[in-house]
Amino acid sequence: MANQYYSQANLLELFELIGSIDGNEYAEFEEFKAICCPESIWPNQLVEFDPRADQLETAVDELERTVTENDLLNLLMLDAFAKLEVVSKLSGRGYKRGQWTAMSTDLRSYALHESESDLQIDVVENEEQLTQWIRVAERALMGGHPLKENIFTELLNDDRAELYLGSIKGEPMATAFIFESSDSVGIYFVSVDESHRGRGYRAGLTLRFLNEAK
């Protein structure tokens, strides 16, 4: 379960950073945490809801009350190891929820070999590249919904984060960023435009960042 802890801790540290940006909020309640970013499709959600089985009914009641009283977006994201009884209870109550698909591993035990590709991967270093990165992510991951630019400007200027833009023949087509916390490195927003999927680009991006993380 150690790897689960490291991946979740990395995500929460990222959310704390995003919540510290003007206009955003990262709040801790008794039963869960919330990240709120107006004018952005991401990362508005509730996280860290993990009640004991014998307190589940009361915890869900408290969750719904707190969401209503604080006008929070009622999207609860469960981690990949969420208890089945929690998932079942939320489904039975018709609660809007999602579930992270995540993996974590000790990179010291792997030899990672990147294959040749026509995808050029560059570190995002300026506002023009950042704008291109955001537009690709909005298309490829967010269904065209807007992302708040100051979130990614903050990441661009934070030593713990690095954003990458993938291009094919000079045309931006792919994104990813890595975020380093004290115990781990998280890889986020791995995306490729729909017109260029099925060619191994996402796998190539992931391998590149796993090697960077090592």
Side-chain angles (χ1 to χ4, degrees), residues 9-42:
N10 183 275
L11 178 69
L12 294 178
E13 187 170 327
L14 172 62
F15 283 175
E16 286 180 18
L17 170 63
I18 293 172
S20 70
I21 301 168
D22 286 347
N24 300 337
E25 182 180 7
Y26 179 77
E28 297 188 11
F29 299 94
E30 183 176 353
E31 296 291 348
F32 63 92
K33 299 178 176 68
I35 177 71
C36 305
C37 302
E39 304 172 13
S40 183
I41 187 66
W42 181 88

Side-chain angles (χ1 to χ4, degrees), residues 31-180:
E31 296 291 348
F32 63 92
K33 299 178 176 68
I35 177 71
C36 305
C37 302
E39 304 172 13
S40 183
I41 187 66
W42 181 88
N44 298 292
Q45 56 196 260
L46 315 177
V47 294
E48 290 284 280
F49 181 71
D50 187 29
R52 286 171 27 191
D54 62 342
Q55 297 177 345
L56 184 53
E57 189 77 33
T58 301
V60 174
D61 288 341
E62 180 65 17
L63 169 71
E64 293 179 337
R65 184 189 64 78
T66 304
V67 165
T68 300
E69 288 183 356
N70 293 274
D71 195 26
L72 301 173
L73 182 72
N74 65 337
L75 172 60
L76 177 64
M77 292 299 294
L78 302 173
D79 66 47
F81 300 92
K83 301 182 184 76
L84 290 178
E85 56 265 33
V86 173
V87 176
S88 177
K89 174 60 70 175
L90 292 169
S91 297
R93 295 276 286 262
Y95 204 84
K96 187 177 180 182
R97 63 175 178 81
Q99 193 159 4
W100 290 107
T101 300
M103 72 172 189
S104 56
T105 188
D106 185 344
L107 294 176
R108 292 170 296 183
S109 59
Y110 287 87
L112 303 169
H113 303 290
E114 299 176 44
S115 58
E116 291 188 11
S117 171
D118 58 348
L119 182 68
Q120 178 180 332
I121 304 172
D122 297 308
V123 177
V124 174
E125 296 180 329
N126 55 55
E127 289 185 9
E128 180 182 1
Q129 288 177 314
L130 180 61
T131 298
Q132 293 172 334
W133 190 99
I134 292 171
R135 297 293 90 81
V136 173
E138 287 172 339
R139 292 195 309 266
L141 280 180
M142 301 296 154
H145 296 289
L147 292 164
K148 196 172 184 180
E149 190 162 330
N150 71 346
I151 293 174
F152 301 95
T153 299
E154 185 72 22
L155 290 174
L156 182 65
N157 295 319
D158 193 288
D159 290 340
R160 292 168 290 177
E162 196 141 58
L163 284 74
Y164 296 86
L165 181 66
S167 301
I168 301 169
K169 297 181 180 179
E171 186 69 24
M173 291 291 176
T175 68
F177 76 82
I178 60 176
F179 182 77
E180 183 176 357

